[in-house]
């Protein structure tokens, strides 16, 4: 995070030193783009705040630990798709679940859909790429995540 | 136009009102939802200004021809390699990758490369992967990367060529 600020500051300084007008134009573009997408971001944040209230971590942990492997897999992929969680929450949680005996395959379905499928970021993605592409990309990503989970299960000897 | 604005902002206003009233009356679920909103907003506010400033600088300094050459129609497989390398340095998550991908597209990157960038920036961010491996083991992370990346690239090619055939165009001017 600190590197990112340092990098941005450095880029700005270098840019400003070599061309003032261009740099000011860049800042204008940045602000304009940000303001344009802001409503979509707000909608996403509102959705996140409500969904995370309805689906607390304990509930996720409970369903991921379901005895039936297929049921657990389905719930893991579903929860991963419809929630958003920063890595610093998701991975420690996964680590705990792993310790409790939840298979790698289930963890993989959860974390992979968490990363690549974004139901809650739909407002933002749609604003840039349109409804059709957003739905297609997410559907494809969901399938990719399931394949990743199954292969993970195979490699850890959890299926077959 | 007016109707559009009303449609956009009425739900937001209702939400804000709900949170405020919950805070005043001490309504538990409302307070919790408000907290969630605050936590995630702060997380994004930390990332977004940098992201958009870098996008702004990218727009004024990087030439269209450069992007076309390395990520455009004639870039071949190298375009995907660049997309994956670029994604490794992305921070935040998909919500940062969307505006970046959009700028890349407007500068001449082809659709399939854009989709690869999006998928890869969801899956291959280096700091995140290191963190993941520390909790779930290196084997887990390596399997995930080795299985998902080829699938992301392959499906990006399919999706890209399907959309190009159907003359899909991303709206300009966001």
């Amino acid at each position: 995070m600190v590197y990112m600020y340092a990098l941005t500051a450095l880029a700005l300084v270098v840019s400003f030193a070599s061309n003032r007008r261009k740099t000011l134009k860049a800042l204008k573009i940045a602000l304009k783009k940000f303001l344009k997408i802001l409503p979509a971001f707000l909608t996403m944040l509102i959705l996140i705040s409500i969904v995370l209230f309805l689906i607390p971590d304990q509930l996720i942990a409970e369903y991921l630990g379901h005895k039936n492997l297929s049921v657990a897999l389905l719930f893991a992929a579903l929860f991963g798709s419809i929630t958003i969680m920063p890595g610093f929450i998701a991975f420690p949680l996964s680590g705990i679940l792993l310790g409790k005996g939840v298979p790698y395959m289930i963890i993989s379905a959860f974390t992979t859909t968490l990363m690549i499928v974004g139901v809650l970021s739909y407002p933002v993605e749609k604003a840039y790429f349109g409804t059709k592409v957003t739905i297609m990309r997410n559907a494809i990503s969901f399938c990719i995540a399931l394949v990743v989970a199954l292969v993970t299960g195979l490699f850890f000897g959890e299926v077959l | 136009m007016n109707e559009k604005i009303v449609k956009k902002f009425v739900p937001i206003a209702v939400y804000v009102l709900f949170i405020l009233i919950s805070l005043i009356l001490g309504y538990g679920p409302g307070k919790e939802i408000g907290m969630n909103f605050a936590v995630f907003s702060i997380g994004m506010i930390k990332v977004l200004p940098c992201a958009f400033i870098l996008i702004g600088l990218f727009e004024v300094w990087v030439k269209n021809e450069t992007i076309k050459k390395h990520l455009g129609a004639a870039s071949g497989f190298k375009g995907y390699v660049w997309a994956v390398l670029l994604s490794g340095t992305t921070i935040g998550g998909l919500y940062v990758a969307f505006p970046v991908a959009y700028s890349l597209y407007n500068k001449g990157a082809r659709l399939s490369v854009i989709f690869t960038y999006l998928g890869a920036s969801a899956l291959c961010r280096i700091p995140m992967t290191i963190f993941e491996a520390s909790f779930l083991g290196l084997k887990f992370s390596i399997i995930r990367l080795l299985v998902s990346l080829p699938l992301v690239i392959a499906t990006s090619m399919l999706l890209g060529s399907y959309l190009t055939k159907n003359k899909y165009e991303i709206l300009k001017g966001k």
Side-chain angles (χ1 to χ4, degrees):
Chain A
M1 202 64 121
V2 181
Y3 293 110
M4 182 186 62
Y5 285 107
L7 179 76
T8 309
L10 185 72
L12 266 180
V13 169
V14 172
S15 171
F16 199 74
S18 45
N19 191 329
R20 258 188 206 203
R21 271 190 41 217
K22 260 191 171 180
T23 310
L24 287 177
K25 198 179 155 207
L27 288 174
K28 248 186 219 160
I29 291 174
L31 187 67
K32 213 176 112 197
K33 278 178 178 281
F34 179 66
L35 290 178
K36 231 177 186 169
I37 199 67
L38 192 60
F41 265 106
L42 276 177
T43 313
M44 172 173 82
L45 283 165
I46 290 174
L47 290 176
I48 292 174
S49 71
I50 296 171
V51 169
L52 286 194
F53 168 73
L54 297 175
I55 308 174
D57 292 358
Q58 302 94 293
L59 190 78
I60 294 174
E62 201 178 299
Y63 278 94
L64 263 58
H66 199 282
K67 279 193 197 75
N68 186 320
L69 217 54
S70 333
V71 174
L73 184 73
L74 213 65
F75 272 114
L78 214 64
F79 281 139
S81 302
I82 58 170
T83 57
I84 284 184
M85 231 183 248
F88 65 83
I89 297 177
F91 294 125
L93 174 69
S94 303
I96 292 169
L97 291 175
L98 204 59
K100 282 187 179 165
V102 174
Y104 280 98
M105 180 172 74
I106 308 300
I107 303 282
S108 172
F110 178 62
T111 56
T112 311
T113 48
L114 206 51
M115 292 174 206
I116 200 174
V117 183
V119 173
L120 294 182
S121 56
Y122 174 80
V124 176
E125 188 168 359
K126 190 191 81 172
Y128 285 114
F129 300 109
T131 309
K132 184 180 159 194
V133 170
T134 301
I135 292 174
M136 286 174 83
R137 193 200 65 81
N138 279 291
I140 292 170
S141 301
F142 186 83
C143 299
I144 291 176
L146 282 184
V147 174
V148 170
L150 288 173
V151 175
T152 304
L154 278 175
F155 269 97
F156 281 95
E158 292 162 354
V159 283
L160 295 181
Chain B
M1 189 62 200
N2 262 334
E3 208 175 307
K4 245 185 171 175
I5 292 175
V6 169
K7 257 191 189 164
K8 239 181 203 170
F9 286 98
V10 162
I12 296 179
V14 169
Y15 176 85
V16 172
L17 210 63
F18 168 70
I19 299 299
L20 283 178
I21 291 174
S22 303
L23 284 176
I24 293 165
L25 300 179
Y27 177 60
K31 279 195 331 200
E32 215 173 295
I33 290 173
M35 267 308 284
N36 284 342
F37 184 85
V39 168
F40 275 86
S41 301
I42 290 167
M44 282 182 197
I45 288 168
K46 277 185 189 158
V47 178
L48 288 180
C50 286
F52 276 91
I53 287 173
L54 289 173
I55 288 171
L57 289 173
F58 167 80
E59 295 257 335
V60 297
W61 285 110
V62 179
K63 290 195 190 96
N64 288 11
E65 297 84 66
T66 315
I67 297 299
K68 264 191 201 129
K69 188 178 156 206
H70 294 290
L71 303 171
S75 64
F77 194 76
K78 265 192 198 155
Y80 300 107
V81 177
W82 278 118
V84 173
L85 289 178
L86 195 62
S87 75
T89 62
T90 305
I91 30 134
L94 268 178
Y95 63 91
V96 174
F98 292 140
V100 174
Y102 187 76
S103 286
L104 287 172
Y105 176 76
N106 281 340
K107 284 226 177 244
R110 67 179 192 270
L111 277 171
S112 54
V113 168
I114 291 300
F115 292 126
T116 298
Y117 170 76
L118 284 178
S121 60
L123 297 164
C124 308
R125 300 198 307 278
I126 292 165
M128 180 194 73
T129 306
I130 294 171
F131 193 65
E132 176 196 39
S134 71
F135 277 96
L136 300 171
L138 197 58
K139 186 179 167 190
F140 182 87
S141 298
I142 289 174
I143 293 172
R144 184 175 67 71
L145 287 176
L146 289 184
V147 178
S148 64
L149 258 187
L151 286 173
V152 163
I153 293 174
T155 54
S156 296
M157 287 172 174
L158 289 175
L159 186 58
S161 64
Y162 165 78
L163 290 171
T164 309
K165 249 186 222 152
N166 286 279
K167 307 231 178 335
Y168 166 82
E169 279 207 32
I170 293 173
L171 294 167
K172 300 268 172 185
K174 278 275 177 196

